[in-house]
Amino acid sequence: MTFIQKLSKYGVAAAFWIALITLSIITVVSYTAHNQAYDNWRWVEHTQQVSLEIEELTSLYLSAKVTWRNFISAGKNIDLEAYESAVNAIPLKITSLQTLVSDHPQQQQRIKTLSNLLDGDIAVIGATVSLKAGGRFVDPSAPFAPDLNWQKIKHLADIIQNEEKELLTRRSLELKQSTARLVLIIITGNVAGLGILTLAFYFLQREVGQRKIAQDALTASEHHFRLLAESEQAANKELESFSYSVSHDLRSPLRAINGFARILHEDYADKLDDEGRRLLKVIRDNSNRMGILIDDLLEFSRLGRKPLAAVNVDMTALVQGVNDEFQNECHGRSVQVIIHPLLPAYGDPSLIRQIWVNLLSNALKFTSHIDSAFIEIGMQEGNGTIIYYVKDNGAGFDMRYYDKLFGIFHRLHRDNEFPGTGVGLAIVQRVILRHHGKVWAEGKPNQGATFFFELPQGSKDERA
Amino acid sequence: MSELEMVEILLVEDNSSDAELTVRALKKSNLANHLIWLKDGAEALDFLFCKESHAGRLSGQPKLIMLDLKMPKIDGIEVLRRVKGDEHLKTIPIVVMTSSREEKDIVESYKLGVNSYVVKPVDFQQFHDAISSTGLYWMLMNKVPEK
């Protein structure tokens, strides 16, 4: 698997998670930023409020002082109401300011100092008002005059206001920086998220595309195989009908040759001399032989086409059965057949039976001239296979002609020695090759032959 | 061959060798005394429907028709269809004797009302036996409606 393939396999899911996490982080950061901006807005408001309160405080103080001054210089007829309301309002303003700057100890200290200064002035003013109200003389240019603590109060109020302004500036700067950072994070995050999503989309698209291609290829190959199967089926059917035609159209004239030769023999045998009758026999023998050849050829072609129905085959029982069938043919002969226990093979029972029939009938045929024929059937275990063998002490064969042994219509013996069509071993080879097995032989002229064949091993417990 | 004589078996077969072997097998069983052999379906229909060269023949019909399927001009299936489709001829037993063991031919023949379907054995002896026993059964053992 290439890196790209791995990436596209695991990458898509991973990319979605990464994108999801990135976008979640951005959401959290944006929310935080929003809160910060809100705080900042409140800070501006706060600073404005502090300034306002300070302004009001100073103006209350000034109004109290002006009223007091007028009272001192003008005397009793001056109304003290404005003075009294200012004196009453000042502590409230102080309390309000203290609350506003509760998070800033330095400012709190300053406000406390301011409050003390104001209290001091108000105490002086209050004492002089009481004296004046009692009809006593108060010198307007007394030591506490003319400005009392005004300069100090003014200075302190300015300091408090400046401090607030400075705080605002600092917070604004901080906010500006954090906002810039935030914008960078949001942009980067979004770009990254979008990039990852795009990549994931690309891989997804690619995978979908590849799947589509694979699907198309699969469909195409299915179609191809269906066509192939159909054409094979058609070819098989054609071959079947061809074999059928061969069998009948070839045999119909053969029937005529054989039949008429027979009629000639039946009706005119007495009119022919010995040579005439011999010639007639040659015609009949050859037409019979051709009949057998056609049968064998058809059998060979049928075995090649028959579908394999593979099961476990009990070889011992199969061989015993085949051997029993041959018993009649061995009548009057001294034949000893030894069948060793055989492990099961895996294959088509009817086809494998044909192997045994052909090999055993060959062994019997090629030992027919031997006084005491000996045939041995056994096996050797291979690697997942079984090698079976049929050994005889018959005519054997010359290894020089080995390559012709399994060829169709090839014979290593003359027909007058051992009759046959040369199809039997070709059928054996064909059946074994169809089972993906192997067949081979060893032999020496007049010293017997051994035929070996290898088939897949069958299961021991499961019998066919 | 005299058309005045009564015809018992009508053999329709294009292969003269097969026809001769058939006739010989029937002869051996003494069944070929009143046999007429025609070489294709067209002639067989002319004979059965008394047309063309058989227009003037006396109207006696065979007791058995032995019919080959693969023939030039009109094939056995067509003869079967025409005979079994005719009110007067449909009671004549027809035995198809052919080399074809194709399921299609067998099914078609039975659908058309064939009385028996015999695949010609390829072996001469078996062929001989099949012809004899078929002839014996249909001519001697089988009972047909009186005309």
Side-chain angles (χ1 to χ4, degrees):
Chain A
M1 201 185 265
T2 66
F3 174 72
I4 294 287
Q5 278 173 324
K6 270 185 197 168
L7 200 67
S8 80
K9 189 174 177 190
Y10 306 107
V12 174
F16 270 114
W17 283 110
I18 292 169
L20 193 71
I21 290 164
T22 311
L23 292 175
S24 305
I25 290 169
I26 289 168
T27 308
V28 172
V29 169
S30 310
Y31 180 72
T32 317
H34 170 261
N35 284 354
Q36 228 169 343
Y38 179 71
D39 283 354
N40 184 49
W41 172 76
R42 280 185 52 195
W43 271 114
V44 172
E45 207 181 40
H46 178 261
T47 306
Q48 281 168 352
Q49 212 176 338
V50 170
S51 301
L52 199 69
E53 297 277 306
I54 294 284
E55 300 272 348
E56 276 179 20
L57 193 64
T58 48
S59 77
L60 279 172
Y61 169 79
L62 285 176
S63 122
K65 207 176 79 168
V66 168
T67 313
W68 166 71
R69 263 191 190 283
N70 290 344
F71 180 71
I72 295 291
S73 0
K76 217 176 169 184
N77 54 340
I78 294 295
D79 189 5
L80 276 175
E81 203 183 321
Y83 160 77
E84 274 162 8
S85 74
V87 167
N88 287 336
I90 283 169
L92 292 173
K93 285 286 163 203
I94 292 292
T95 314
S96 162
L97 271 169
Q98 286 289 19
T99 315
L100 277 171
V101 298
S102 59
D103 60 329
H104 200 310
Q106 220 178 339
Q107 289 286 77
Q108 261 182 320
Q109 191 55 49
R110 285 179 188 135
I111 284 166
K112 207 175 169 195
T113 313
L114 187 67
S115 167
N116 288 342
L117 286 171
L118 286 168
D119 283 352
D121 275 15
I122 283 165
V124 171
I125 289 166
T128 51
V129 166
S130 300
L131 286 175
K132 180 81 181 174
R136 308 228 339 238
F137 171 76
V138 179
D139 181 6
S141 57
F144 45 79
D147 284 331
L148 295 171
N149 288 321
W150 167 241
Q151 287 305 324
K152 280 185 190 167
I153 287 168
K154 175 93 175 79
H155 181 66
L156 201 54
D158 282 350
I159 286 174
I160 290 170
Q161 274 185 321
N162 283 340
E163 176 65 23
E164 282 299 319
K165 276 181 188 141
E166 217 169 279
L167 265 178
L168 182 65
T169 313
R170 203 163 67 231
R171 278 176 183 139
S172 291
L173 188 70
E174 267 172 27
L175 188 78
K176 212 171 162 184
Q177 281 169 347
S178 79
T179 305
R181 245 194 338 268
L182 181 78
V183 167
L184 191 70
I185 288 170
I186 287 174
I187 289 172
T188 315
N190 272 326
V191 166
L194 282 175
I196 290 162
L197 278 179
T198 310
L199 204 67
F201 181 72
Y202 164 74
F203 278 119
L204 210 62
Q205 241 352 47
R206 215 175 90 114
E207 203 166 290
V208 167
Q210 277 172 344
R211 264 188 208 177
K212 172 115 179 63
I213 289 167
Q215 189 70 43
D216 286 352
L218 196 68
T219 313
S221 72
E222 269 171 6
H223 181 68
H224 178 70
F225 276 113
R226 204 171 51 242
L227 283 184
L228 213 71
E230 275 168 12
S231 77
E232 196 186 301
Q233 225 169 11
N236 261 347
K237 211 164 168 71
E238 202 171 309
L239 198 63
E240 212 167 304
S241 104
F242 171 75
S243 305
Y244 179 81
S245 302
V246 165
S247 99
H248 287 84
D249 294 348
L250 280 188
R251 265 196 287 205
S252 183
L254 198 60
R255 183 170 59 218
I257 295 167
N258 195 2
F260 283 97
R262 213 172 133 142
I263 291 167
L264 189 63
H265 180 76
E266 281 174 9
D267 296 358
Y268 299 94
D270 51 340
K271 295 197 174 97
L272 294 171
D273 59 8
D274 285 352
E275 180 60 8
R277 281 194 289 275
R278 190 189 67 81
L279 294 176
L280 198 54
K281 189 175 177 299
V282 171
I283 294 173
R284 288 183 59 193
D285 286 352
N286 278 287
S287 68
N288 278 336
R289 184 169 160 72
M290 182 152 175
I292 295 167
L293 279 171
I294 291 171
D295 283 346
D296 284 358
L297 190 63
L298 283 176
E299 180 68 6
F300 181 70
S301 125
R302 192 180 67 80
L303 289 179
R305 290 195 319 272
K306 190 176 176 276
L308 283 188
V311 290
N312 290 313
V313 182
D314 181 349
M315 289 298 236
T316 312
L318 188 64
V319 173
Q320 291 286 6
V322 171
N323 186 45
D324 289 349
E325 277 175 34
F326 281 120
Q327 283 311 302
N328 290 337
E329 288 182 27
C330 303
H331 194 69
R333 281 180 58 191
S334 160
V335 182
Q336 194 189 0
V337 180
I338 290 182
I339 302 170
H340 295 293
L342 301 171
L343 282 173
Y346 185 74
D348 186 307
S350 66
L351 293 181
I352 289 176
R353 187 175 192 284
Q354 196 63 45
I355 300 173
W356 289 113
V357 167
N358 290 7
L359 290 182
L360 203 59
S361 75
N362 269 2
L364 288 167
K365 181 162 71 183
F366 292 104
T367 52
S368 58
H369 63 297
I370 303 279
D371 292 335
S372 55
F374 178 79
I375 296 168
E376 186 187 347
I377 292 169
M379 57 143 234
Q380 283 164 241
E381 250 182 287
N383 183 20
T385 61
I386 306 280
I387 299 164
Y388 302 95
Y389 65 84
V390 179
K391 186 182 163 90
D392 68 61
N393 61 344
F397 61 88
D398 193 331
M399 286 298 270
R400 277 183 298 173
Y401 309 120
Y402 181 80
D403 55 334
K404 287 188 174 174
L405 195 62
F406 294 99
I408 189 159
F409 296 135
H410 279 299
R411 307 212 58 228
L412 299 187
H413 298 276
R414 285 197 302 278
D415 206 50
N416 55 8
E417 286 179 311
F418 301 102
T421 55
V423 175
L425 285 179
I427 286 178
V428 167
Q429 189 181 44
R430 188 155 191 178
V431 167
I432 288 164
L433 288 181
R434 288 202 63 200
H435 282 85
H436 307 291
K438 271 194 296 187
V439 61
W440 66 99
E442 288 165 5
K444 265 184 185 173
N446 300 318
Q447 286 180 45
T450 309
F451 285 85
F452 301 89
F453 63 96
E454 190 175 22
L455 286 176
Q457 184 170 4
S459 152
K460 280 167 207 175
D461 14 277
E462 209 185 311
R463 292 266 154 111
Chain B
M1 177 181 72
S2 161
E3 284 178 4
L4 290 169
E5 279 177 30
M6 191 180 158
V7 176
E8 286 193 324
I9 297 177
L10 171 63
L11 173 65
V12 190
E13 167 69 80
D14 66 320
N15 183 319
S16 55
S17 297
D18 275 4
E20 200 175 334
L21 293 174
T22 305
V23 172
R24 186 181 166 93
L26 289 172
K27 249 183 200 155
K28 290 239 167 158
S29 307
N30 258 327
L31 294 170
N33 297 333
H34 304 285
L35 179 142
I36 180 167
W37 165 38
L38 300 175
K39 288 182 178 163
D40 62 62
E43 214 184 343
L45 288 176
D46 286 347
F47 177 85
L48 290 165
F49 288 96
C50 305
K51 283 179 187 164
E52 304 287 331
S53 59
H54 297 281
R57 79 172 183 95
L58 294 175
S59 59
Q61 294 296 4
K63 284 184 179 170
L64 174 69
I65 300 172
M66 286 182 151
L67 184 65
D68 189 18
L69 286 187
K70 238 170 87 179
M71 288 186 296
K73 293 190 211 171
I74 295 176
D75 68 5
I77 292 286
E78 185 56 28
V79 173
L80 192 60
R81 191 195 319 277
R82 300 271 280 272
V83 173
K84 288 298 180 187
D86 184 274
E87 220 27 64
H88 300 290
L89 301 177
K90 70 197 294 183
T91 52
I92 304 172
I94 298 183
V95 178
V96 163
M97 306 215 56
T98 177
S99 295
S100 166
R101 59 174 82 242
E102 302 241 1
E103 189 65 14
K104 165 170 87 67
D105 288 341
I106 299 173
V107 169
E108 185 67 17
S109 298
Y110 273 99
K111 276 187 179 165
L112 291 173
V114 77
N115 298 80
S116 186
Y117 191 106
V118 177
V119 178
K120 284 188 233 173
V122 283
D123 174 79
F124 173 72
Q125 189 59 50
Q126 286 170 13
F127 178 82
H128 190 275
D129 295 348
I131 300 289
S132 309
S133 48
T134 303
L136 286 169
Y137 172 80
W138 285 102
M139 294 306 293
L140 301 179
M141 294 180 70
N142 190 50
K143 192 86 184 132
V144 291
E146 298 291 332
K147 288 270 164 151

